[in-house]
Amino acid sequence: MARIMIVDDNEDIRTLLTKRLQAAGHEIESAESGEHALAYAPTFQPQLVITDLRMANMDGMTLFEKLKFNQPTLPIIIITAHGTISHAVEATKQGAFSYLTKPFDSAELLADIDSALATSGSPQQNEGNELSFGHEIVTQNRAVLETLKQTELVARSDASILIQSESGTGKELLAKAIHQASDRKDFPFIALNCGSVPAELLESELFGHRKGAFTGATHEHEGLIQAAEGGTLFLDEIGDMPLQFQVKLLRVLQEKEVRPVGSTQSRSVNVRVVSATHRDLKQSIVDKQFREDLYYRLNVVQLELPPLRERRDDIPLLAQHFIEQLTPKHRARKHFSTDAMGILASASWPGNIRQLRNVVEQTLVLSHTEIIPASLVKRALKEDFGDIRSFMEAREYFEREYLTEILRITSGNVTQAAHMAKRNRTEFYRLLRRHHLEPHLFRQRISLG
């Protein structure tokens, strides 16, 4: 018995193939589109995929390329009509196991399946990310996978790491991945959102306090830094940390000692600090809102997660992941219609992955059928962020999209890009920093093809 995924936008073909292959003893998962196939693949882990070549939205060749990127040894059989045989032949040249023309013979199909499974050997695993950490990060996006590979390299050191990304992109998950990939993985991972703690309580929360140190201190309190001893301390939204407290944190990082509030004695600490922010800290330094010396102490290595609008290939995967995460085990699994998935894939997602999860949760609650319709997705998106952006949000969105496009056109050449935008280089660099755009990444993307 093997796990086989059937991908075809024709329900009759899916039903026919499912019955034939189940009768032969195989476990079948069917998908009505390439988007759904990509969403189901990580959990189903197919040993073989049979896909139609001609499908709406994502065709069989595009699906083939995406599946092969994540699982290079996964055998794929292409189903094609006589008019597209040349395309199927081209697919086999690029690595497809074989192709079958419609109408196909059952014996021929089963023979091809046996040969494909024999060639592939043992059951396939997801080879797009064979890392032994970061399993909570659901992705097939090349930029994110590259960040995970960088994470594995830098995690082995004790260097402080700054994660610079927009809100809702998964910065804490990446911080946990750093911890899991480090030699500190058997020790605590402690997280604190610096913007959620009042300034007057931040010192006690991080450093701890002695009994009687201040009104209400009725017992001794161990701070989060000491609680993370031997492990990792994650300081989220470090850009929101009060300026007057930053010098105290800098002293702890420099001296590797912490003094609880009300104590006269310092205690040595062994903690690796990972911090994150959605703010432009360089601009905050210019605005006298962030200390430059603390910035360089925290930013020994910088990592970045792209916003969801730049990793649209992950949207079907993430949507299905959230469905499985939010659906009780005793209930049937729902999925989005092709139109609904198209809306999800094309939305702007200013709230990134956090907003996507919220939209999925809303549609699950409101849907009374197995297939979630496009109307519910539209409704959830409208309720989540409204129909119209504010003027400032619209301008920020346009600026970033404009800068992204012009960098793509010039392959990351800032001189050319500034000239096209009719701006001087200094001003253009300032715009890039404000939108967290790195020109070299556009050169890299071009080279990757």
Side-chain angles (χ1 to χ4, degrees):
M1 185 183 75
R3 294 185 304 278
I4 301 176
M5 178 174 284
I6 298 166
V7 190
D8 201 305
D9 54 7
N10 186 313
E11 185 177 0
D12 292 335
I13 294 292
R14 293 199 310 273
T15 302
L16 176 64
L17 283 174
T18 297
K19 289 180 178 178
R20 287 182 180 179
L21 298 184
Q22 283 178 338
H26 298 296
E27 181 183 353
I28 306 301
E29 177 71 81
S30 66
E32 65 185 28
S33 67
E35 292 90 346
H36 287 143
L38 291 175
Y40 297 159
T43 51
F44 183 61
Q45 292 191 341
Q47 295 165 252
L48 172 69
V49 172
I50 302 172
T51 180
D52 190 18
L53 188 61
R54 288 273 181 92
M55 295 186 292
N57 297 324
M58 184 185 296
D59 61 21
M61 277 303 297
T62 303
L63 173 62
F64 165 79
E65 292 169 359
K66 290 182 178 296
L67 288 171
K68 279 294 186 182
F69 177 76
N70 290 315
Q71 297 176 248
T73 60
L74 176 66
I76 299 174
I77 296 175
I78 303 287
I79 303 174
T80 181
H82 287 287
T84 56
I85 288 178
S86 60
H87 295 93
V89 171
E90 183 61 30
T92 58
K93 289 180 181 179
Q94 294 184 34
F97 181 79
S98 66
Y99 67 91
L100 293 171
T101 56
K102 301 177 183 177
F104 44 81
D105 179 73
S106 293
E108 182 184 5
L109 172 63
L110 292 173
D112 262 18
I113 288 173
D114 289 342
S115 298
L117 293 171
T119 301
S120 65
S122 59
Q124 300 296 315
Q125 301 297 322
N126 188 332
E127 298 178 15
N129 180 10
E130 293 182 340
L131 302 172
S132 60
F133 66 94
H135 300 300
E136 294 180 18
I137 299 177
V138 177
T139 187
Q140 60 187 3
N141 179 267
R142 182 174 298 184
V144 180
L145 291 173
E146 186 61 36
T147 296
L148 286 174
K149 290 177 182 176
Q150 295 172 10
T151 297
E152 186 176 30
L153 293 175
V154 301
R156 294 170 185 165
S157 72
D158 263 347
S160 297
I161 297 174
L162 175 66
I163 303 171
Q164 181 84 50
S165 298
E166 293 181 15
S167 295
T169 51
K171 296 189 288 293
E172 184 166 348
L173 291 182
L174 184 58
K176 288 181 179 177
I178 294 167
H179 177 71
Q180 292 162 0
S182 73
D183 294 335
R184 297 175 177 269
K185 62 181 181 294
D186 296 325
F187 294 90
F189 173 87
I190 303 291
L192 174 70
N193 187 313
C194 298
S196 66
V197 181
E200 62 272 14
L201 298 180
L202 194 55
E203 184 172 4
S204 172
E205 190 70 13
L206 278 174
F207 299 168
H209 63 254
R210 295 195 64 184
K211 181 179 178 180
F214 50 84
T215 303
T218 57
H219 60 278
E220 189 164 320
H221 170 68
E222 180 183 57
L224 295 182
I225 293 177
Q226 285 183 270
E229 178 64 25
T232 303
L233 176 68
F234 174 53
L235 298 176
D236 198 7
E237 298 305 345
I238 191 74
D240 295 337
M241 179 174 283
L243 188 63
Q244 64 271 24
F245 183 75
Q246 292 174 23
V247 66
K248 297 179 181 180
L249 176 63
L250 177 63
R251 188 180 302 116
V252 170
L253 297 179
Q254 288 175 334
E255 299 175 4
K256 300 188 186 318
E257 289 183 343
V258 61
R259 181 184 298 175
V261 178
S263 175
T264 58
Q265 305 211 343
S266 297
R267 303 172 187 177
S268 61
V269 288
N270 174 22
V271 171
R272 200 258 188 89
V273 174
V274 176
S275 54
T277 184
H278 72 281
R279 297 185 183 277
D280 182 349
L281 291 187
K282 289 184 177 179
Q283 185 59 47
S284 296
I285 292 170
V286 173
D287 297 337
K288 308 293 185 185
Q289 295 300 310
F290 203 85
R291 293 181 61 95
E292 186 174 18
D293 47 5
L294 178 59
Y295 172 77
Y296 287 112
R297 176 67 64 170
L298 295 171
N299 189 27
V300 176
V301 177
Q302 184 168 317
L303 295 174
E304 183 174 356
L305 284 170
L308 189 55
R309 62 183 172 273
E310 292 181 13
R311 47 184 290 199
R312 295 187 184 277
D313 52 338
D314 274 344
I315 291 174
L317 194 66
L318 286 163
Q320 187 61 30
H321 170 72
F322 291 138
I323 286 176
E324 292 168 1
Q325 194 178 69
L326 296 166
T327 303
K329 291 184 179 179
H330 64 278
R331 293 188 184 175
R333 183 178 64 187
K334 298 182 180 183
H335 65 272
F336 290 98
S337 70
T338 301
D339 289 343
M341 187 61 75
I343 293 170
L344 290 175
S346 60
S348 59
W349 300 116
N352 292 299
I353 298 173
R354 187 182 295 125
Q355 183 193 4
L356 174 60
R357 189 184 191 280
N358 190 45
V359 167
V360 171
E361 187 168 13
Q362 286 188 54
T363 57
L364 280 175
V365 171
L366 296 172
S367 176
H368 300 294
T369 60
E370 182 182 343
I371 299 176
I372 302 170
S375 58
L376 285 184
V377 174
K378 291 178 180 177
R379 175 178 171 180
L381 284 169
K382 178 181 178 181
E383 290 179 355
D384 211 27
F385 271 79
D387 278 332
I388 303 175
R389 294 185 178 94
S390 69
F391 177 79
M392 289 299 295
E393 287 173 338
R395 189 175 73 175
E396 287 289 308
Y397 178 78
F398 173 79
E399 270 190 8
R400 196 179 200 286
E401 290 296 301
Y402 176 83
L403 293 169
T404 299
E405 185 60 24
I406 207 168
L407 285 172
R408 285 191 184 125
I409 292 171
T410 60
S411 300
N413 187 310
V414 175
T415 301
Q416 291 181 16
H419 179 72
M420 289 179 66
K422 295 181 173 56
R423 292 289 183 273
N424 62 55
R425 279 170 56 91
T426 301
E427 182 186 0
F428 197 82
Y429 267 117
R430 188 170 65 251
L431 286 170
L432 295 182
R433 284 196 301 272
R434 191 169 81 201
H435 292 282
H436 311 305
L437 293 172
E438 299 287 345
H440 70 88
L441 293 179
F442 291 83
R443 290 194 292 272
Q444 184 181 21
R445 287 176 187 172
I446 294 296
S447 66
L448 286 171

